[in-house]
Amino acid sequence: MITIKEIAKLANVSPGTVDRVIHNRKGVSEKTAQRIREILKEHDFKVNRIAQSLAMKKRYTIAVLLPDHDEENQFWRTPLEGIQKAKEEVMSFGVDVKTFSFDQKSPKSYIDSFDLLLQTNPQGVVLVPTFKKETKELTNILLAKQIPFIFLNIALNGHENLCFVGQDSFKSGYLAAKLMQLCLNENDHILTIHSRPNLSNVNNISQRIEGFDHYLKEQKLNFINHKIEVEDFWNAKKFSDKIASLLQKQTKIKGIFVPNSRAHIIAKHIEGFRNEIPYLIGFDITAHNSNALVDGKITFLISQKPFQQGYRSVSSLSKFLLYKTPPESEILSPIEIITKENLPNGEQKEYAIFP
């Protein structure tokens, strides 16, 4: 039997649009609706009565709280696309997904957006636990209200979350060090550039650095690893001056490790040192990082399939609400090494069709 996804492809619309037509919901033009009805009739489509029954019996709301994305910080666009894809697919099962965003430099924005999220009376929450102290406060509220929640992308212990969906950050940092070893000679130095502990995603970053350092120590390598803590990646002049000052003093630095998605920013700041520092390793296939990779300004990127992370966070929580099937405590995405030779055309959007 033909599926909603296949009908959507034939009609050149989203599965959510097909679902609205099947269930006579508003929001679709009459011309598009008529085209979809003709395809439904042509293929003798029958509504999944089990799914429809579940949807009519009880409806659920999943609220998602994740950081904003913009031109400079593009990473969070891709998990959001995965969340929106899952939203389309769980809609016919009676699950509504609402998304909320916050400024990842502002704990107040994080709390304010969470307060708006609570006003939707969700039965489940997907949360990117960006700020440690504030996350403890928010999760205590969810526990008191008996609302199950999933952590997306950032793993934090001691919060009683239903599961974590993301990458093993320690292993990804360990892999980055192994790649760096392949690039450098025995007495070369390394520079690690990371955010200060009060900034976002610190837990992921610290685990990547820990994995990186662990590999160097485990292999008894002689590389000296210099480290810079950055208060603000967006303060270009201050940041550039800080890096230039260090690189002029430490002339043995040949490789730079950036344990976040902003490797392209570092690539710009070291343009005057490219001959002396040929190797740069970073994370995530954003548009800016991809361009720098193709241009030879970044040596390796480590990808974590953020589209898949967004999709699986919503689909896993939906299955828990609908069928009371608890997910695994960790749903880990693969660790992929990306070079300019195997760079995919855009984010690889692989996911399993719900349910």
Side-chain angles (χ1 to χ4, degrees):
M1 187 181 82
I2 194 169
T3 65
I4 287 179
K5 183 182 177 185
E6 290 167 337
I7 292 167
K9 187 174 181 180
L10 290 172
N12 196 28
V13 297
S14 71
T17 300
V18 175
D19 182 80
R20 282 192 285 273
V21 172
I22 291 171
H23 296 94
N24 297 313
R25 298 191 185 106
K26 296 179 181 180
V28 184
S29 71
E30 183 54 37
K31 182 178 178 180
T32 299
Q34 184 58 36
R35 184 168 77 251
I36 292 171
R37 292 189 195 102
E38 290 172 358
I39 296 172
L40 291 169
K41 184 176 180 181
E42 179 183 347
H43 292 273
D44 192 27
F45 178 83
K46 298 292 190 298
V47 174
N48 184 331
R49 297 300 176 186
I50 296 176
Q52 187 181 53
S53 175
L54 281 168
M56 293 176 65
K57 186 176 180 181
K58 185 171 183 179
R59 303 196 66 82
Y60 298 91
T61 296
I62 291 176
V64 181
L65 181 60
L66 73 169
D68 289 322
H69 64 268
D70 54 31
E71 183 60 26
E72 285 302 314
N73 185 18
Q74 300 177 336
F75 173 80
W76 290 104
R77 177 184 290 118
T78 309
L80 178 59
E81 290 174 352
I83 289 163
Q84 291 170 336
K85 180 64 181 177
K87 176 180 178 178
E88 292 178 356
E89 295 186 5
V90 302
M91 185 185 304
S92 61
F93 290 81
V95 180
D96 184 25
V97 180
K98 300 183 183 298
T99 56
F100 300 83
S101 63
F102 61 92
D103 180 350
Q104 61 182 306
K105 301 188 293 295
S106 170
K108 183 179 184 303
S109 172
Y110 184 55
I111 293 172
D112 290 346
S113 292
F114 180 81
D115 290 341
L116 291 175
L117 174 157
L118 283 182
Q119 293 176 24
T120 66
N121 297 314
Q123 284 71 53
V125 170
V126 175
L127 182 67
V128 178
T130 304
F131 301 96
K132 285 186 177 180
K133 175 177 174 290
E134 288 74 14
T135 293
K136 190 63 177 177
E137 297 172 6
L138 304 191
T139 55
N140 282 342
I141 293 172
L142 294 175
L143 291 170
K145 292 179 176 290
Q146 297 185 321
I147 300 173
F149 58 95
I150 284 177
F151 282 165
L152 171 61
N153 188 260
I154 301 174
L156 289 181
N157 296 323
H159 292 269
E160 298 184 50
N161 49 301
L162 190 62
C163 81
F164 161 67
V165 180
Q167 190 179 71
D168 187 320
S169 296
F170 181 90
K171 286 185 178 179
S172 65
Y174 188 94
L175 174 61
K178 184 177 289 189
L179 293 172
M180 189 66 80
Q181 180 190 10
L182 295 175
C183 296
L184 302 183
N185 295 316
E186 184 176 356
N187 293 316
D188 289 340
H189 291 198
I190 301 167
L191 173 60
T192 296
I193 303 176
H194 62 102
S195 302
R196 285 175 59 89
N198 62 325
L199 296 183
S200 63
N201 292 3
V202 63
N203 200 58
N204 276 8
I205 292 170
S206 61
Q207 287 184 29
R208 288 170 181 169
I209 293 172
E210 185 180 344
F212 189 92
D213 291 342
H214 182 82
Y215 179 84
L216 299 182
K217 183 178 180 180
E218 178 184 80
Q219 298 300 314
K220 299 179 180 179
L221 300 174
N222 294 326
F223 304 135
I224 294 177
N225 187 9
H226 306 271
K227 295 182 180 180
I228 292 181
E229 287 187 349
V230 179
E231 295 183 18
D232 192 349
F233 274 89
W234 294 269
N235 189 332
K237 187 177 187 310
K238 181 179 179 181
F239 187 22
S240 184
D241 290 347
K242 188 172 186 177
I243 292 179
S245 176
L246 176 65
L247 296 182
Q248 287 166 1
K249 295 176 183 176
Q250 302 295 339
T251 58
K252 289 188 177 182
I253 293 175
K254 300 299 179 184
I256 296 181
F257 172 51
V258 184
N260 58 41
S261 61
R262 302 185 182 100
H264 66 278
I265 297 177
I266 309 304
K268 290 181 181 178
H269 290 311
I270 66 168
E271 283 182 356
F273 298 87
R274 289 308 306 188
N275 291 333
E276 295 82 7
I277 308 172
Y279 305 111
L280 174 59
I281 297 175
F283 284 77
D284 302 318
I285 312 175
T286 65
H288 291 317
N289 278 347
S290 297
N291 291 337
L293 187 70
V294 171
D295 292 341
K297 297 176 181 178
I298 293 176
T299 314
F300 297 109
L301 287 172
I302 297 176
S303 173
Q304 56 180 317
K305 288 188 175 292
F307 180 96
Q308 188 183 79
Q309 289 180 14
Y311 179 92
R312 296 188 72 180
S313 66
V314 170
S315 64
S316 297
L317 190 50
S318 296
K319 290 174 185 177
F320 178 75
L321 295 175
L322 289 166
Y323 312 122
K324 308 306 176 189
T325 304
E328 297 291 331
S329 60
E330 290 185 326
I331 301 176
L332 297 178
S333 50
I335 303 173
E336 295 187 325
I337 302 169
I338 306 298
T339 69
K340 64 180 179 181
E341 290 79 16
N342 71 338
L343 179 68
N345 294 322
E347 170 65 26
Q348 292 177 305
K349 298 174 180 179
E350 300 173 3
Y351 46 87
I353 300 301
F354 186 87

